[in-house]
């Protein structure tokens, strides 16, 4: 790709804004490509700041910090959606290559912008309305029935910012706090799915199989690839939908389309334009991981094969559990890792280097195989053992010796 290259290596310098686990794992992929991610982190203890050689400390809402991090970079990309849109526009006007560009990214930053855009192109989505008044909310709920789902358009993640509301008073309180809300019907869904697609500036796209995402308290904690029992027609329609959205919005990099499956097909929940929790399985489960693919796409390299490496792949997140409590008296983390490896030599561990706290996303494990029930049980048991120190009876450990 044309653009600034590192004079020492002759290869690109990708800047990632945000120092979480997504940047950490993107850095890991960058290393194999001869590169080293430059990371803009807010704290030296963040997951990616702990491992990347070129870490700039600064706030992603501070234009000067963004400018300094972007200096001399080939391209600037993101591990989260929280950079103010006008800062991105300023950087673009100053000649910084930003991927995805601000005009695309705003659809992942602002849930109302997305709803309006999907409505314009007639893509399937839940019944929704932009509400700013009590009458607006009452009218919407009158049409769809209570409960309704209310979301501030910006800033939510991991279920923070999703309010299932049963009555008007509750809705009015949220309105008073936020001023403007996205109202959605509560979708009566069969399950949640996600499709990931990568798109390069050249216009090449590559899509992975549709996956099922399982959430706990609004947080995605398990991913089943491919989505079990999904008929081919729905799967193809979902992949085509993702490709259409990526192309119409001009996405550069990775796009994750979160979907709700209903008895009639799929509707779009929201978008992420970066590596995404629903794609962690691709590290071992696909020929090209989402992290490598994101780098390829933002650098306008040809995209890699998205073929799966096994018939069934399951990713299970480790959220801080009993073992993260200060008074935990079971085996310490290092010992749990040791046991995990001894007991499940085929399970792959990705630990994000964070301090342990209940509910925090600390890592994930991936299992591969042929049989969904067996692979899933293995992944979930391994994740649970790390989180809670609990050994699933189906995977009884040998007696201490
Ligand atoms: N309209 C809805 N109907 C039913 N469940 C919903 C709806 N919107 C969100 N949810 C549930 O809340 C989760 C988080 O919502 P989402 O809009 O994706 O927010 P976040 O930005 O926190 O990921 C979804 O994965 C889904 O489980
Ligand atoms: Mg979501």
């Amino acid at each position: 790709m044309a653009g600034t290259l590192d004079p020492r290596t002759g290869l690109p310098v990708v800047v990632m804004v945000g120092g979480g686990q997504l940047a950490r794992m993107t850095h890991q992929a960058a290393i194999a490509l001869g590169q080293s991610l430059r990371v803009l982190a807010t704290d030296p203890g963040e997951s990616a700041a702990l491992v990347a050689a070129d870490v700039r400390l600064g706030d992603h809402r501070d234009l000067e910090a963004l400018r300094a991090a972007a200096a001399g970079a080939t391209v600037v990309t993101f591990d989260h959606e929280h950079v103010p849109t006008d800062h991105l526009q300023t950087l673009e006007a100053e000649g910084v290559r930003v991927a995805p560009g601000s005009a695309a990214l705003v659809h992942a930053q602002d849930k109302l912008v997305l709803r309006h855009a999907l409505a314009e192109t007639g893509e399937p989505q839940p019944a929704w309305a932009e509400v700013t008044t009590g009458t607006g909310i009452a009218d919407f709920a009158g049409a769809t029935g209570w409960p309704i789902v209310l979301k501030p358009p910006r800033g939510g993640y991991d279920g923070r910012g999703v309010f299932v509301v049963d009555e008007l008073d509750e809705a009015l309180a949220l309105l008073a706090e936020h001023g403007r809300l996205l109202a959605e019907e509560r979708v009566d869904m069969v399950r949640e799915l996600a499709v990931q697609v990568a798109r390069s500036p050249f216009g090449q796209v590559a899509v992975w199989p549709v996956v099922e995402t399982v959430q706990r308290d609004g947080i995605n904690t398990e991913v089943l690839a491919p989505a079990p029992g999904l008929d081919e027609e729905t799967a193809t329609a979902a992949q085509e939908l993702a490709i259409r959205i990526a192309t119409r919005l001009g996405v550069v990099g990775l796009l994750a389309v979160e979907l709700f499956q209903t008895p009639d097909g799929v509707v779009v929940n929201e978008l992420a334009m970066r590596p995404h929790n629903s794609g962690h399985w691709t590290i071992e489960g696909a020929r090209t991981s989402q992290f490598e693919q994101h780098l390829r796409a933002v650098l306008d390299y040809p995209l890699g094969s998205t073929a799966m490496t096994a018939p069934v792949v399951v990713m299970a997140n480790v959220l801080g559990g009993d073992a993260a409590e200060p008074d935990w008296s079971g085996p310490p983390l290092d010992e749990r890792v040791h046991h995990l490896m001894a007991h499940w030599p085929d399970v792959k561990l990705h630990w994000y280097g964070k301090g342990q706290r209940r509910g925090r996303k600390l890592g994930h494990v991936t299992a591969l195989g042929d049989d969904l029930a067996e692979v899933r049980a293995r992944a979930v048991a391994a994740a649970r053992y790390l989180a809670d120190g609990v050994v699933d009876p189906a995977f009884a450990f040998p007696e201490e010796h």
Side-chain angles (χ1 to χ4, degrees):
M1 140 187 246
T4 319
L5 299 175
D6 180 334
R8 197 179 58 80
T9 62
L11 288 169
V13 179
V14 177
V15 173
M16 193 166 259
V17 178
Q21 64 263 24
L22 301 175
R24 182 180 172 107
M25 290 184 274
T26 306
H27 174 57
Q28 200 167 5
I31 292 170
L33 304 183
Q35 304 171 29
S36 188
L37 210 60
R38 183 189 298 167
V39 172
L40 176 64
T42 51
D43 186 286
E46 285 174 26
S47 292
L50 293 168
V51 296
D54 188 357
V55 178
R56 312 293 171 91
L57 291 181
D59 195 303
H60 52 268
R61 292 162 301 190
D62 172 3
L63 182 58
E64 282 316 314
L66 291 165
R67 275 194 182 118
T74 315
V75 62
V76 174
T77 189
F78 311 95
D79 120 317
H80 59 64
E81 279 87 35
H82 307 313
V83 180
T85 310
D86 50 346
H87 287 357
L88 296 177
Q89 289 165 337
T90 304
L91 292 177
E92 286 169 331
E94 291 171 359
V96 176
R97 195 175 300 190
V98 176
S102 61
L105 187 63
V106 70
H107 298 87
Q109 295 181 306
D110 189 312
K111 289 175 173 165
L112 272 170
V113 172
L114 173 68
R115 289 280 173 249
H116 284 289
L118 293 177
E120 242 166 63
T121 51
E123 299 295 7
Q125 55 180 339
W128 67 281
E130 178 171 346
V131 293
T132 52
T133 63
T135 322
I137 292 176
D139 286 351
F140 180 75
T144 63
W146 298 92
I148 59 171
V149 179
L150 292 174
K151 303 178 181 180
R154 281 181 182 251
Y157 65 96
D158 280 352
R160 281 168 250 199
V162 176
F163 303 94
V164 180
V165 172
D166 290 301
E167 39 129 45
L168 192 57
D169 279 352
E170 224 180 319
L172 289 175
L174 282 169
L175 198 57
E177 192 183 331
H178 297 282
R180 202 168 61 106
L181 292 168
L182 166 63
E184 294 176 353
E185 65 173 310
R186 190 173 68 171
V187 176
D188 189 13
M189 64 184 95
V190 179
R191 58 177 167 173
E192 298 191 44
L193 303 173
V195 200
Q196 277 195 303
V197 59
R199 183 175 176 278
S200 69
F202 181 74
Q204 188 186 8
V205 291
V207 64
W208 284 271
V210 182
V211 299
E212 176 173 345
T213 64
V214 181
Q215 343 289 322
R216 200 196 317 155
D217 303 328
I219 305 178
N220 175 217
T221 53
E222 264 180 79
V223 174
L224 318 177
L230 186 66
D231 64 276
E232 215 172 296
E233 197 183 325
T234 310
T236 306
Q239 287 177 312
E240 285 172 355
L241 170 66
I243 292 171
R244 224 163 36 237
I245 292 174
T247 306
R248 287 220 182 109
L249 298 182
V251 176
V252 170
L254 273 193
L255 169 70
V257 182
E258 295 182 6
L259 298 165
F260 298 147
Q261 186 181 7
T262 72
D264 306 321
V266 297
V267 293
V268 176
N269 174 33
E270 64 161 348
L271 308 183
M273 293 183 196
R274 50 169 170 77
H276 189 247
N277 201 75
S278 68
H280 291 346
W281 68 274
T282 58
I283 298 176
E284 292 89 9
R287 190 76 185 109
T288 307
S289 80
Q290 61 163 348
F291 302 103
E292 177 181 340
Q293 197 81 304
H294 185 69
L295 290 167
R296 288 187 186 223
V298 301
L299 290 167
D300 210 8
Y301 283 160
L303 302 179
S305 160
T306 54
M308 290 185 67
T309 58
V312 174
V313 182
V314 175
M315 186 285 311
N317 284 107
V318 182
L319 266 54
D322 292 348
E325 294 293 347
D327 59 354
W328 169 252
S329 58
L333 178 60
D334 177 55
E335 206 175 308
R336 298 200 301 284
V337 167
H338 185 117
H339 283 308
L340 178 108
M341 290 178 172
H343 203 66
W344 294 281
D346 49 332
V347 166
K348 287 297 180 182
L349 171 65
H350 297 264
W351 197 253
Y352 306 152
K354 297 178 184 176
Q356 297 182 65
R357 216 170 47 213
R358 185 171 281 280
R360 204 174 191 200
K361 226 173 237 179
L362 299 174
H364 75 262
V365 296
T366 308
L368 281 66
D370 299 309
D371 177 64
L372 173 67
E374 183 278 322
V375 176
R376 184 175 184 182
R378 193 152 32 98
V380 170
R384 180 150 180 246
Y385 176 64
L386 281 180
D388 296 325
V390 170
V391 181
D392 188 311
F395 295 91
F397 281 19
E399 291 295 310
E400 283 295 338
H401 49 82

